[in-house]
Amino acid sequence: MSGDVYEVTMPKLGETVTEGVVSQWLKQVGDTVAFDDPLFEVSTDKVDSEVPSPYDGVLLEILVPAGDTVPIGTPIARIGEPGAASAATPAPAATAPAAPAAAAPAAGVSETNEPVTGPAAAASAGNGQSGVALSPVVRRLAAEKGLDLAAISGSGAGGRIRREDVERAIAAQLAAVAPSPAAAAAPAVAAPPATVSAPAPAAAAQKPAASVSPGDEVVKLSRMRLITADLMVKSLRTSAHVWTSVEVDFEHVEQVRQRHRAQFKKGEGMSLTYLPFIARAVCDALREFPAVNASIDIENQTMTMHHYVNLGIAVDLSEQGLVAPVVKNADSLNIRGLARNIAAVAAGARARTLAAADMSGSTFTITNPGPFASYASAPVINQPNVAILSTDGIARRPVAVGDAIAIHHMSILGFSYDHRAFDGSTASLFLRYIRDAIQDRGWDAELS
């Protein structure tokens, strides 16, 4: 490619991130862009980010439309001097631009050994054939549903198969084995491939919309909702979920909060909430019960014990979705440090300013629906963790204190865990440790 035309590629937004979705283009073809101008938004299973332009010039060509999922390193746009696009490359529909082919050492592979999609990959390997560049999501979905990729027509650039194509094929497969007696009599094996690329199954896949009643509103699921759905269902399929809980008396912590709240607010600029106390007790409990601070590789039949605590904190994004930024090495922090860091990652998550590294690498997760007055929750495990703690609403309730009845601040801590990693005895002992620490520890010393 000539020196005045540059390729913009899908950036790597984290060590474990292999692909991204171009969720929105912030510039259009023909727009002038300056270095560091916001160019497009990218969404991964870890984070949504605004990506700045790496070059000055004019946006000559958009190679990947909004909504497409592509591997890291894939060319997604070209920037250069006005009028350079036609001299540098053919139109997007062309089969094999000479320069991109020369830049890749082998068909479907970039210089960094990342899969390449788009026209260059399509030229070297046909749709659905051996060697074609497909995103991991596409391959996984097809494998899970037993789909033949060669029978799926791709709607992406150069005929590339997109996630949406596989989802339509899955819907068509379900429609092909639908309840009608006549359909039941048809050959089961031949039906899905024969109907994958035909228009009729697409219409069948939309049948549920016909049952919408007057006054109903049908809305498109957001990217975040789709990612959440995929991750949560995957977690339920992966881990043997079990739930247990413990009632905790927070009266001691409440008294400590009242004694230190003014000083804490003045020094830290934030309110002293219950969450740092819980997080501090959790970190200590994870040291005592290392099986809870672990991850499982069932294929290799191993469990990795993490001798540090990277604490994921679930953060609500104004009811639009839930993310879990990570406080790294949380076990090295006292209450003040935990409060400071939890507030920082929560603010960064809501402002969408965190990097992918800040959203990954957790060894244990806390979700905190308590401010919304929940009573008891059974959260889904945040993979690859083996457990997650829910801190529910703290309310004043009557409780037996010795031989008397008193009104104390009480709450339920809910604990979902992976039965493959440990058993109910460990879960109960872990919760008991947290309960006793919250109720009995001398918290004043850490706040003085």
Side-chain angles (χ1 to χ4, degrees), residues 285-302:
L286 290 171
R287 284 179 172 175
E288 292 294 319
F289 300 92
V292 184
N293 192 43
S295 54
I296 282 184
D297 184 344
I298 204 67
E299 291 183 3
N300 291 319
Q301 301 179 11
T302 60

Side-chain angles (χ1 to χ4, degrees), residues 3-357:
D4 53 10
V5 178
Y6 307 95
E7 281 190 344
V8 179
T9 60
M10 177 61 73
K12 189 171 181 65
L13 297 173
E15 290 301 319
T16 61
V17 177
T18 60
E19 62 181 9
V21 177
V22 179
S23 52
Q24 180 183 0
W25 283 100
L26 304 176
K27 299 287 185 180
Q28 301 304 316
V29 172
D31 288 353
T32 299
V33 294
F35 174 77
D36 222 27
D37 274 357
L39 184 60
F40 65 98
E41 290 181 354
V42 61
S43 178
T44 72
D45 61 352
K46 301 292 184 187
V47 68
D48 291 344
S49 299
E50 197 175 79
V51 179
S53 172
Y55 308 107
D56 291 319
V58 171
L59 181 57
L60 302 173
E61 193 175 1
I62 290 176
L63 302 176
V64 176
D68 268 16
T69 304
V70 293
I72 302 307
T74 301
I76 60 173
R78 293 189 176 100
I79 292 176
E81 296 179 0
S86 56
T89 60
T95 346
V109 179
S110 72
E111 291 180 351
T112 56
N113 293 325
E114 295 285 355
V116 175
T117 59
S124 61
N127 178 38
Q129 302 305 313
S130 175
V132 70
L134 297 169
S135 76
V137 171
V138 165
R139 294 188 184 277
R140 175 172 56 77
L141 283 175
E144 286 176 355
K145 301 300 180 180
L147 290 176
D148 180 7
L149 286 168
I152 300 178
S153 293
S155 62
R160 183 173 57 82
I161 299 172
R162 301 168 57 197
R163 176 177 182 154
E164 292 80 357
D165 300 320
V166 178
E167 289 172 343
R168 279 194 293 271
I170 292 169
Q173 187 181 54
L174 294 174
V177 293
S180 121
V189 176
T195 58
V196 160
S197 58
Q206 296 172 6
K207 277 186 179 178
S211 64
V212 175
S213 301
D216 289 343
E217 180 185 5
V218 178
V219 297
K220 184 83 173 172
L221 283 172
S222 68
R223 171 68 182 164
M224 184 165 285
R225 290 261 62 86
L226 291 172
I227 290 174
T228 300
D230 185 53
L231 293 178
M232 294 299 96
V233 171
K234 181 180 177 182
S235 180
L236 288 170
R237 285 199 307 263
T238 300
S239 297
H241 277 66
V242 185
W243 182 79
T244 188
S245 62
V246 66
E247 187 176 42
V248 181
D249 187 337
F250 278 85
E251 190 63 24
H252 173 49
V253 168
E254 174 61 21
Q255 291 171 7
V256 173
R257 288 178 66 239
Q258 294 303 324
R259 286 194 292 271
H260 295 274
R261 66 190 309 172
Q263 179 198 24
F264 188 89
K265 178 82 171 179
K266 182 179 178 181
E268 301 295 337
M270 69 182 82
S271 298
L272 180 58
T273 68
Y274 295 101
L275 186 55
F277 294 89
I278 298 170
R280 183 78 169 85
V282 163
C283 288
D284 289 347
L286 290 171
R287 284 179 172 175
E288 292 294 319
F289 300 92
V292 184
N293 192 43
S295 54
I296 282 184
D297 184 344
I298 204 67
E299 291 183 3
N300 291 319
Q301 301 179 11
T302 60
M303 184 164 76
T304 301
M305 309 288 192
H306 305 294
H307 297 298
Y308 52 90
V309 178
N310 285 347
L311 191 62
I313 301 291
V315 176
D316 173 63
L317 303 181
S318 301
E319 300 180 59
Q320 300 304 306
L322 200 65
V323 294
V326 182
V327 175
K328 301 293 174 66
N329 298 309
D331 53 324
S332 67
L333 302 172
N334 61 13
I335 288 181
R336 288 182 180 274
L338 283 166
R340 209 175 290 139
N341 280 267
I342 289 171
V345 297
R350 294 189 179 102
R352 303 198 176 195
T353 58
L354 296 181

